[in-house]
Amino acid sequence: MKPVADTMSDEKASRSLSVLKDLNFSFVVTDPKQQDNPIVYVSDAFLELTGYTRKEVLGRNCRFLQGPGTDRGAVVKIRDAIRNEASCQVQILNYTKDGTPFWNLFQISPVRMGPKNVLAHYIGVQTCLPARFETSERTTTTLASGESPTSVDKSCAGSVHVAPNDDDIAFKEYESLAKLSAELALEKWGSFCESLQIPEAAQRSAGPQAAGSLVDSVSQLPGALLTSLARIHQSIVLVDATNSDYPIVYASKPFLSMTGYSWPEVVGRNCRFLQGPETNADDVQQIRDAIQGSRSCSVQILNYRKDGTKFWNLLHVSPVRSFDGKIHFYCGVLMEVPANAHPFTQTNASQHLGAVGAVRIAVRSQQCKSS
């Protein structure tokens, strides 16, 4: 049975994403480390407001919301803020999937991580405005000919955080609402990233990723892939199969809890640091043979935590292939078992295969977005 501490860690990791789901306003998170600053997280309220599906949004730059009536000056203000790694608020005309225009009081804010305050993401909050503000002196965008104020009101009707027909709400209150929403999203997203124990080094990238690239160097997985992997609440590691030493590029929080290591102590290293004086060499060779033969294997092996304590690990190793059939990663699924147990059961096998399947889906989904 898992230690209580490990169970609590799993539950905490699971709650991290649920906290983001609880934010009932429209926002997106983008990754400036990737080429074109694509969206890596989108709230349900954004999908409701714009009419797009999550699959249609993730991996794209936010410019798909622009249209013929979008003022270029407002777009330039947003671009300048991103270039200067600054916050900004602008009123801009955007469009839903079906072409309906709506006034968006858009607030963008940088997310900084680590002791050196390095830029990691941007959060963009969309606050839908009622049509009565379209002629306000504060408005920096203009409606294209033929677009009526009525259509703008309709697009705001499903927004969960504004009241389009309430004429008593002042524009300043909308500005405050947008800023407060951004602050809340910043806080929750920061907590989510910290719950993954992803340090500053894992938030950086040497440059834009090439099309189709899944990982450009150790620990620099795309933000969207990291988010998908974080949803797998089992003890797993992902190693780079294109590197001859098979370094770890991702370690789940349950893995860190099980072994006692931190993310910086794990990423970039071969998994052999888990071995110790009593680890059976035949078990190690079985794993090596499976990797050399590009196949899966399961083995019960004696491993060691950071503090030197021993534990029996029912380890399953499996290749993770891309659509072209090439092996990009190996996934290791760890399960602590009693020393005198007979661990090779159907239940344990199902848990192993379920984790590997989830990893393969996450990796191939990222490849689709990058290609």
Side-chain angles (χ1 to χ4, degrees), residues 69-71 74 90-93 103 134 138-143:
T70 304
D71 182 67
V90 62
Q91 187 174 346
I92 186 170
L93 188 69
W103 288 106
E134 72 178 83
R138 303 179 185 87
T139 301
T140 58
T141 56
T142 55
L143 280 167

Side-chain angles (χ1 to χ4, degrees), residues 59-81:
R60 299 177 66 183
N61 183 281
C62 294
R63 71 175 66 91
F64 66 85
L65 293 175
Q66 299 170 23
T70 304
D71 182 67
R72 296 301 100 187
V75 175
V76 169
K77 287 183 181 179
I78 297 170
R79 288 177 181 170
D80 288 345

Side-chain angles (χ1 to χ4, degrees), residues 105 127 129-130 133 162-163 169-178:
L105 186 58
T127 302
L129 293 170
F133 288 121
V162 296
I169 298 179
F171 187 84
K172 284 290 184 184
E173 291 179 299
Y174 279 94
E175 291 180 320
S176 298
L177 176 63

Side-chain angles (χ1 to χ4, degrees), residues 1-175:
M1 187 176 70
K2 273 191 173 183
V4 175
D6 284 356
T7 304
M8 291 174 65
S9 297
D10 285 350
E11 291 173 353
K12 183 178 178 182
S14 179
R15 286 197 301 268
S16 297
L17 276 172
S18 67
V19 168
L20 293 174
K21 291 278 188 182
D22 289 342
L23 297 178
N24 63 346
F25 52 84
S26 175
F27 75 98
V28 296
V29 181
T30 68
D31 186 355
K33 303 182 300 300
Q34 295 192 54
Q35 186 175 8
D36 209 29
N37 194 21
I39 295 171
V40 295
Y41 181 85
V42 57
S43 71
D44 292 339
F46 176 92
L47 304 177
E48 180 183 355
L49 172 64
T50 64
Y52 289 93
T53 64
R54 187 167 275 102
K55 185 176 181 180
E56 292 172 321
V57 169
L58 291 176
R60 299 177 66 183
N61 183 281
C62 294
R63 71 175 66 91
F64 66 85
L65 293 175
Q66 299 170 23
T70 304
D71 182 67
R72 296 301 100 187
V75 175
V76 169
K77 287 183 181 179
I78 297 170
R79 288 177 181 170
D80 288 345
I82 293 174
R83 184 171 59 250
N84 296 323
E85 300 184 6
S87 298
C88 103
Q89 187 180 93
V90 62
Q91 187 174 346
I92 186 170
L93 188 69
N94 282 155
Y95 292 78
T96 62
K97 181 180 178 179
D98 64 7
T100 303
F102 68 98
W103 288 106
N104 177 12
L105 186 58
F106 182 63
Q107 174 81 34
I108 187 170
S109 300
V111 181
R112 300 185 180 278
M113 302 291 291
K116 294 185 180 179
N117 214 27
V118 172
L119 177 69
H121 299 99
Y122 281 100
I123 284 182
V125 175
Q126 299 77 28
T127 302
C128 186
L129 293 170
R132 73 187 186 91
F133 288 121
E134 72 178 83
T135 56
S136 168
E137 293 178 359
R138 303 179 185 87
T139 301
T140 58
T141 56
T142 55
L143 280 167
S145 61
E147 293 174 341
S148 69
T150 303
S151 65
V152 177
D153 270 337
K154 282 177 64 179
S155 72
C156 293
S159 180
V160 296
H161 59 283
V162 296
N165 296 320
D166 188 355
D167 290 338
D168 295 329
I169 298 179
F171 187 84
K172 284 290 184 184
E173 291 179 299
Y174 279 94
E175 291 180 320

Side-chain angles (χ1 to χ4, degrees), residues 239-252:
V239 303
D240 184 2
T242 66
N243 186 309
S244 59
D245 197 40
Y246 300 99
I248 295 173
V249 293
Y250 176 81
S252 69

